[in-house]
Amino acid sequence: MKRTLLFIAIICSTSFAFAQKTTYKVSTQSSIIKWDAKKVVGGHVGTIALKDGTIQTDKGKITGGGFTIDMNSMACTDAPKLTGHLKNEDFFDVPKYPTAKFIISKVDNSKATPVITGNLTIKNKTKTISFPAKVTSTTDGLSAEALGVKVNRLDFDIQYRSASFFSDLGNRAIDDEFTLDIQIKAAK
């Protein structure tokens, strides 16, 4: 009898440990990336949508995942006419590269706000980036928010009006870095 109870206890605890690992599907309707690009005089802001994605957790902490970014959804919200220029070969060359990707490679859960490290791929060029992300459990899944994620466009061969490459731009120069505010919602 004792052996039977011990066996049942081991099975239950093993099943419970496996049940702690969860994969969430990113809601493309509820998730959004906002971008902010500066130039010498002013700047522009906009949005971009996700095509798909997943987030893996273990005991409530993010351990992996990734998402595909739909480059065709890119919009410049303060100057809509600029959207077409951002999609051409001067910037993201969307007809040739219709998606970008971010794949989580490591998560430091030792801090109150986890630091996510992963590989960002834009225009078939991959760069490792890290950023803190606030993760919140919800009744049907989780949400994650990362604000002010810095991306250097030169890492992805986007040189248009970069003072790092062109010295005669004056006040027409565009900063090499842009920032992303990432808001992800995911459900089981």
Side-chain angles (χ1 to χ4, degrees):
M1 181 73 171
K2 287 183 180 182
R3 283 187 182 173
T4 304
L5 288 175
L6 179 62
F7 179 74
I8 291 171
I10 290 171
I11 294 296
C12 288
S13 65
T14 304
S15 297
F16 181 71
F18 286 120
Q20 296 294 322
K21 294 183 180 183
T22 306
T23 297
Y24 296 91
K25 183 177 179 184
V26 171
S27 168
T28 57
Q29 300 300 314
S30 303
S31 302
I32 191 78
I33 299 173
K34 296 178 182 177
W35 57 265
D36 187 350
K38 303 284 186 207
K39 53 186 183 175
V40 173
V41 181
H44 294 288
V45 294
T47 60
I48 193 161
L50 298 180
K51 188 172 186 174
D52 59 45
T54 60
I55 295 176
Q56 287 88 41
T57 64
D58 187 5
K59 298 176 185 155
K61 297 182 185 273
I62 291 179
T63 57
F67 48 84
T68 304
I69 303 161
D70 180 3
M71 298 302 288
N72 281 300
S73 72
M74 184 182 338
C76 182
T77 55
D78 69 317
K81 289 183 179 181
L82 182 60
T83 299
H85 190 205
L86 291 172
K87 291 181 179 183
N88 79 19
E89 62 278 351
D90 285 341
F91 289 97
F92 294 97
D93 201 0
V94 174
K96 188 172 181 181
Y97 305 102
T99 61
K101 288 191 180 279
F102 179 74
I103 305 297
I104 297 172
S105 59
K106 177 174 72 169
V107 181
D108 180 357
N109 283 304
S110 67
K111 299 175 175 56
T113 302
V115 176
I116 295 177
T117 300
N119 296 316
L120 178 63
T121 302
I122 300 172
K123 294 175 66 174
N124 276 354
K125 300 198 175 1
T126 302
K127 179 73 174 174
T128 300
I129 63 171
S130 295
F131 51 87
K134 181 181 173 187
V135 180
T136 307
S137 292
T138 63
T139 55
D140 62 341
L142 63 85
S143 64
E145 179 179 62
L147 303 176
V149 177
K150 293 182 180 180
V151 178
N152 188 326
R153 66 189 176 102
L154 300 181
D155 292 334
F156 305 99
D157 197 29
I158 303 170
Q159 300 173 7
Y160 184 79
R161 288 195 185 169
S162 168
S164 299
F165 285 89
F166 307 102
S167 60
D168 60 343
L169 294 172
N171 67 0
R172 297 181 305 131
I174 301 170
D175 288 0
D176 292 339
E177 279 190 343
F178 60 92
T179 59
L180 302 174
D181 289 345
I182 305 166
Q183 298 172 335
I184 304 287
K185 296 204 184 299
K188 292 181 185 180

